Amino acid sequence: EAGVTQSPRYAVLQEGQAVSFWCDPISGHDTLYWYQQPRDQGPQLLVYFRDEAVIDNSQLPSDRFSAVRPKGTNSTLKIQSAKQGDTATYLCASSLGTGDEQYFGPGTRLTVL
Amino acid sequence: GDSVTQTEGLVTLTEGLPVMLNCTYQTIYSNPFLFWYVQHLNESPRLLLKSFTDNKRTEHQGFHATLHKSSSSFHLQKSSAQLSDSALYYCAYMGYKLTFGTGTSLLVDP
């Protein structure tokens, strides 16, 4: 069974540029999560979906970040105007249902110069 | 709100010695679900252990932990550390979302 896949694996931007991250969860998993993991810190939840619906996006900086999961499968996380403080690894995870074990993808390591 | 505390930022020990990484939590929920995740260098977090049963030991890959609701603790232990155990260990609590602790870096020396 394929795991969670993410692309790109790395991104380097100048401040003010936009970037999109893509995530393909494990087939059959209805819940998908996006985490931000700054260097030397634990993952911090940004947003999560059950199917195509956003369940919690309270930690997503809504002025610059957006996330969608239009068909309840793949998901895209977008940063509209990146800041140096956005430098982190962005992890996607999926689970069979909310509260079940989460499986993490390899992450996208973002550097904003 | 919910929180998870890992008191040690770095634990360094010699191969063969026992491992104990501390984890305590705070929550309003009476039935917490606790996890330990391990993250090796340049890899993503991977589930190591999980438990929601009070006073029941759970084991995996030589590691074990017991959820103690009376002390709100879920400490991770292993009887004999191996070099390959060197990694970041995160304790996490599932309330309405998965909340991670700050992590403990375990460094095992030969």
Side-chain angles (χ1 to χ4, degrees), chain B residues 6-41:
Chain B
Q6 294 179 250
T7 52
E8 309 104 347
L10 172 65
V11 171
T12 304
L13 45 78
T14 303
E15 187 179 19
L17 291 180
V19 178
M20 180 161 171
L21 307 184
N22 291 316
C23 173
T24 57
Y25 62 91
Q26 281 190 311
T27 179
I28 61 172
Y29 296 104
S30 57
N31 294 309
F33 210 144
L34 272 294
F35 302 81
W36 276 101
Y37 279 82
V38 58
Q39 187 173 23
H40 287 92
L41 189 63

Side-chain angles (χ1 to χ4, degrees), chain A:
Chain A
E1 178 184 285
V4 177
T5 56
Q6 291 185 245
S7 65
R9 294 296 310 277
Y10 302 92
V12 180
L13 308 174
Q14 298 289 334
E15 274 200 322
Q17 288 186 306
V19 65
S20 291
F21 309 136
W22 180 83
C23 173
D24 189 4
I26 293 172
S27 178
H29 282 193
D30 70 359
T31 310
L32 183 147
Y33 311 79
W34 283 103
Y35 290 87
Q36 182 190 60
Q37 185 175 23
R39 185 178 173 82
D40 297 330
Q41 294 184 36
Q44 295 155 19
L45 182 69
L46 290 173
V47 59
Y48 81 96
F49 299 83
R50 185 180 304 124
D51 298 321
E52 68 278 3
V54 173
I55 303 302
D56 184 358
N57 62 359
S58 58
Q59 302 305 309
L60 194 68
S62 57
D63 57 332
R64 298 185 299 108
F65 285 64
S66 62
V68 295
R69 193 185 184 199
K71 297 182 180 179
T73 52
N74 303 335
S75 177
T76 303
L77 176 70
K78 183 174 183 179
I79 305 177
Q80 195 66 31
S81 177
K83 297 182 178 180
Q84 287 187 352
D86 299 332
T87 293
T89 297
Y90 290 82
L91 294 165
C92 178
S94 71
S95 64
L96 202 56
T98 307
D100 291 323
E101 176 179 348
Q102 294 183 25
Y103 295 83
F104 285 83
T108 297
R109 185 174 296 182
L110 173 67
T111 302
V112 183
L113 302 174

Side-chain angles (χ1 to χ4, degrees), chain B residues 71-110:
Chain B
S71 58
S72 299
S73 66
F74 190 56
H75 306 318
L76 182 67
Q77 299 182 69
K78 188 177 185 183
S79 59
S80 176
Q82 298 177 291
L83 295 176
S84 59
D85 294 331
S86 295
L88 269 168
Y89 291 81
Y90 290 103
C91 184
Y93 164 84
M94 174 65 82
Y96 77 95
K97 66 175 184 178
L98 192 60
T99 300
F100 286 83
T102 51
T104 297
S105 183
L106 176 64
L107 185 59
V108 181
D109 294 326

